[in-house]
Amino acid sequence: MDKLLNEIKSTAEKVRYELDRLLPVPKTSEKRVVEAMRYSVMGGGKSLRPFMVMQSAKLFGVEPERALRVACALEMVHCYSLIHDDLPAMDNDDLRRGKPTCHKQYDEATAILAGDALLTRAFGVISSEKCQFDPLTRCQLIYELSKAAGCNGMVGGQMLDILAETTEDMKLPEVVRLQQLKTGALFSFAMEAGAIMGKADSETRQLLRSYAKDVGLAFQISDDILDVEGDVASMGKAVRKDLDAHKATFISLLGLEKAKEQAKQLTEHAVKTLESFDEKADYLRALARYFVERKS
Amino acid sequence: MDKLLNEIKSTAEKVRYELDRLLPVPKTSEKRVVEAMRYSVMGGGKSLRPFMVMQSAKLFGVEPERALRVACALEMVHCYSLIHDDLPAMDNDDLRRGKPTCHKQYDEATAILAGDALLTRAFGVISSEKCQFDPLTRCQLIYELSKAAGCNGMVGGQMLDILAETTEDMKLPEVVRLQQLKTGALFSFAMEAGAIMGKADSETRQLLRSYAKDVGLAFQISDDILDVEGDVASMGKAVRKDLDAHKATFISLLGLEKAKEQAKQLTEHAVKTLESFDEKADYLRALARYFVERKS
């Protein structure tokens, strides 16, 4: 586990270094929005999605230097979604990663624009010649990222999440679908990105999507568990919000024990999916286990 | 002028038809966000930016059917920016094109998500194989669109616009720069898009950017004039907001007569820029004149 955490940390540092280069602060007044972008994207997140991109790239022998920009673009998309999700009109959160959320640190207008600009920049980063993949590969990455992040993916999931607040009696399949869109879609992109960069066949791409689907759901279940068992200090954000809002979660639907059991089963299935890969997939196997064992 | 307006209308209809195909409504609950996207992007705007894409494409013999998707993607980006600009935390507008703004028709959270999803979809549309350009051209279009729409383009301009509300004594060069980012950047993309699709040389691309810069500024000056001289009925949105907010505009800085003179000079310069093109550029010449003569 320590080895995994060190590797995640090392990747996060590389991502941070590259993001610093990708988001230079202009000298003119609009620098305020760039500062807000940097505040959010370089704010010390674990960079799990970039880690997944780098590890899936490794499976196909893609050089890390080349995969890094794609990893950074994905982190930009993830962080834009956090900025917008935290807004007063959405989840209205004041705290993120132990620091004021973007609209608290700056203001609502700046936060909306910072999110917009991060999303916009992400696609620019992948499309650029400096993203050293052939143009067709770049197009495929952009196409899949757009699909994963858009109204049939992450944004659709966030829409469902907002509607869920006023929906009584949500059933398990609906909660599963909500989470698969809201967090699962970007996880799937992270895993598939390596296969696209490495020009793997569609069967392999499907395999990696299946892994992502399992660990994404396990990740969300453990999120629900941490929301109940965790504290503000180690989580760096508000806890027990779902419980207080009487929102349907995996725990309210399954009970704590059954939810834990389900998370474990998903993890084992994810690990089994990677059977055909050799030791290059060891970090991904460890990651799947970490997702359900983490404390924050 | 009638001929131009008919051509603009005909393009708007084609764009609307294609947008309808590009944004199918799902059967599941997240359809709410897709409906909000469609409400905004198919809400009867003039589609001036798509018109510019189609006309610049014509200069280089690009088939209209192929340019149409790029035109639609640009309209998505433009409409996302309107949705977010209208939000309470930004300009707080209730009326757009004579109808309730997106957050008034739906709610704030849905409007934020609809904007996000339109921006995301725009890049997906261009990256797709169905956008019948070679992958390198698609990447170049995405790269330029990201640059024009991001923190060093449109979003940067919107940031400046928000800061301008609390800035006293703004000078003309600052207002010019603000407008060049806020509206000029997308205009430039619209004109350059045709050159990219038609694989024109960099000199020609520069020429079209120069035209866009001129007409973009003339467009903004005439917007300021309409804000003073127009009425809510013909504009379909609130008027005299800038005046009431004591915001620096071309009129407050130059006076009405000098502002009109400036707009005319920019128009003539824009028309002159197109000198080297034959009658294929006639609509673009007419468009430049229309921008300063329009009544809404």
Side-chain angles (χ1 to χ4, degrees):
Chain A
M1 180 75 93
D2 278 355
K3 215 178 141 209
L4 171 72
L5 292 181
N6 279 337
E7 186 68 16
I8 292 177
K9 213 176 143 189
S10 150
T11 300
E13 274 162 25
K14 281 178 201 131
V15 167
R16 204 187 137 87
Y17 183 83
E18 183 71 11
L19 285 169
D20 181 42
R21 285 171 10 109
L22 289 171
L23 296 168
V25 183
K27 287 206 174 66
T28 35
S29 309
E30 72 272 20
K31 70 175 178 216
R32 182 178 173 83
V33 69
V34 181
E35 285 162 355
M37 293 161 81
R38 292 171 61 96
Y39 175 79
S40 298
V41 85
M42 295 165 67
K46 282 194 282 291
S47 300
L48 291 176
R49 290 157 194 79
F51 181 74
M52 290 169 84
V53 171
M54 301 306 285
Q55 290 304 318
S56 72
K58 198 173 80 173
L59 296 180
F60 306 98
V62 178
E63 304 93 313
E65 301 73 33
R66 298 177 78 208
L68 191 58
R69 277 188 158 240
V70 178
C72 287
L74 181 56
E75 187 65 4
M76 288 182 193
V77 172
H78 172 57
C79 288
Y80 118 74
S81 80
L82 297 182
I83 298 174
H84 283 191
D85 283 7
D86 285 338
L87 286 168
M90 307 272 263
D91 292 352
N92 194 22
D93 275 311
D94 295 348
L95 214 56
R96 166 75 62 188
R97 295 167 180 161
K99 294 197 305 177
T101 45
C102 189
H103 66 276
K104 281 280 159 189
Q105 182 72 16
Y106 294 86
D107 55 72
E108 262 188 79
T110 304
I112 294 168
L113 292 174
D116 293 344
L118 278 174
L119 175 59
T120 308
R121 184 81 179 102
F123 290 107
V125 164
I126 303 182
S127 69
S128 162
E129 277 178 18
K130 289 181 191 146
C131 183
Q132 300 162 53
F133 294 99
D134 63 282
L136 182 60
T137 300
R138 283 183 258 153
C139 280
Q140 285 170 345
L141 289 165
I142 290 166
Y143 183 77
E144 293 300 334
L145 179 57
S146 165
K147 214 165 73 173
C151 57
N152 303 312
M154 184 178 68
V155 168
Q158 180 62 8
M159 185 79 254
L160 290 176
D161 204 21
I162 287 163
L163 295 170
E165 282 166 26
T166 51
T167 309
E168 282 186 33
D169 253 356
M170 260 183 88
K171 299 281 182 295
L172 191 60
E174 294 168 286
V175 175
V176 168
R177 183 158 181 276
L178 186 165
Q179 298 301 348
Q180 275 171 347
L181 292 180
K182 191 178 169 177
T183 58
L186 278 207
F187 272 36
S188 282
F189 173 78
M191 290 307 300
E192 206 172 352
I196 295 171
M197 294 186 265
K199 297 185 187 292
D201 58 31
S202 64
E203 221 166 89
T204 309
R205 283 170 65 160
Q206 174 52 36
L207 214 65
L208 295 176
R209 278 201 301 269
S210 164
Y211 165 90
K213 202 172 165 179
D214 288 335
V215 300
L217 219 46
F219 182 82
Q220 191 53 47
I221 294 175
S222 82
D223 227 38
D224 286 354
I225 294 170
L226 287 167
D227 188 59
V228 172
E229 296 188 338
D231 56 71
V232 180
S234 63
M235 293 296 283
K237 62 179 180 181
V239 293
R240 268 170 290 280
K241 278 195 69 167
D242 290 348
L243 213 66
D244 294 343
H246 299 286
K247 237 168 124 170
T249 67
F250 289 105
I251 300 183
S252 73
L253 289 164
L254 292 170
L256 190 57
E257 284 319 305
K258 241 186 147 174
K260 283 184 179 177
E261 183 53 40
Q262 179 78 55
K264 258 182 220 153
Q265 277 179 22
L266 285 163
T267 303
E268 290 319 310
H269 190 257
V271 170
K272 213 172 136 45
T273 307
L274 299 178
E275 228 163 28
S276 58
F277 294 100
D278 58 11
E279 71 276 7
K280 280 205 292 287
D282 278 350
Y283 277 131
L284 287 171
R285 292 183 189 101
L287 184 73
R289 298 209 165 94
Y290 163 70
F291 274 178
V292 295
E293 287 163 17
R294 71 204 168 103
K295 296 286 173 245
S296 68
Chain B
M1 181 75 96
D2 277 358
K3 218 178 139 206
L4 172 72
L5 293 180
N6 279 337
E7 187 68 17
I8 291 176
K9 212 175 143 190
S10 150
T11 300
E13 274 162 25
K14 282 178 201 132
V15 167
R16 203 187 138 87
Y17 183 82
E18 184 71 12
L19 285 168
D20 181 43
R21 285 169 12 108
L22 290 170
L23 296 167
V25 183
K27 288 206 174 63
T28 35
S29 308
E30 71 273 20
K31 69 174 177 216
R32 182 178 173 83
V33 71
V34 182
E35 284 163 355
M37 293 162 80
R38 292 171 60 96
Y39 175 78
S40 299
V41 86
M42 294 164 67
K46 282 194 282 290
S47 301
L48 291 176
R49 289 156 194 79
F51 182 74
M52 290 168 83
V53 171
M54 301 306 283
Q55 291 303 318
S56 71
K58 198 173 79 173
L59 296 180
F60 306 98
V62 178
E63 305 91 314
E65 302 73 34
R66 299 175 78 208
L68 191 58
R69 278 188 159 240
V70 178
C72 287
L74 180 57
E75 187 66 3
M76 287 182 192
V77 172
H78 171 59
C79 289
Y80 118 74
S81 79
L82 297 181
I83 298 174
H84 283 191
D85 282 7
D86 286 337
L87 287 168
M90 309 272 264
D91 292 352
N92 194 21
D93 275 311
D94 295 349
L95 212 56
R96 166 74 64 188
R97 295 169 181 161
K99 295 196 303 177
T101 46
C102 189
H103 67 275
K104 280 281 160 187
Q105 182 71 14
Y106 294 87
D107 55 71
E108 261 187 79
T110 304
I112 293 168
L113 292 173
D116 292 345
L118 279 174
L119 175 60
T120 309
R121 185 82 178 98
F123 290 107
V125 164
I126 302 182
S127 68
S128 162
E129 277 177 19
K130 288 181 191 145
C131 183
Q132 299 164 51
F133 295 99
D134 63 282
L136 182 60
T137 299
R138 283 183 258 151
C139 280
Q140 286 170 343
L141 288 165
I142 290 165
Y143 183 76
E144 293 299 334
L145 179 56
S146 166
K147 216 166 71 174
C151 56
N152 303 312
M154 185 179 68
V155 168
Q158 179 63 7
M159 184 79 254
L160 290 177
D161 204 21
I162 286 162
L163 294 171
E165 282 166 25
T166 52
T167 309
E168 282 187 31
D169 252 356
M170 261 183 89
K171 300 280 182 293
L172 191 60
E174 294 168 285
V175 175
V176 167
R177 181 155 183 278
L178 186 166
Q179 298 302 347
Q180 274 171 350
L181 293 180
K182 190 175 170 178
T183 58
L186 278 206
F187 272 35
S188 281
F189 173 78
M191 289 307 300
E192 206 174 351
I196 296 171
M197 293 185 266
K199 297 185 188 294
D201 57 33
S202 64
E203 220 165 274
T204 309
R205 281 170 68 161
Q206 175 51 39
L207 215 64
L208 294 175
R209 279 201 301 269
S210 164
Y211 165 90
K213 204 172 163 179
D214 288 335
V215 300
L217 220 45
F219 182 82
Q220 193 51 49
I221 294 175
S222 82
D223 228 38
D224 286 355
I225 294 171
L226 287 167
D227 189 60
V228 173
E229 297 187 337
D231 56 72
V232 179
S234 62
M235 294 295 286
K237 63 179 180 181
V239 293
R240 268 170 289 280
K241 277 193 70 168
D242 291 346
L243 211 66
D244 293 344
H246 300 286
K247 237 166 123 170
T249 67
F250 289 105
I251 299 183
S252 73
L253 289 165
L254 292 171
L256 189 57
E257 285 318 305
K258 242 185 147 176
K260 283 185 179 176
E261 184 52 40
Q262 179 79 57
K264 258 182 220 154
Q265 276 177 21
L266 286 163
T267 303
E268 289 320 310
H269 190 257
V271 170
K272 213 173 136 48
T273 307
L274 299 178
E275 228 164 29
S276 57
F277 294 100
D278 59 10
E279 71 276 9
K280 280 206 290 289
D282 278 350
Y283 277 132
L284 287 171
R285 293 184 189 103
L287 185 72
R289 300 212 163 92
Y290 163 70
F291 274 178
V292 294
E293 288 164 16
R294 70 204 172 102
K295 296 283 172 252
S296 69

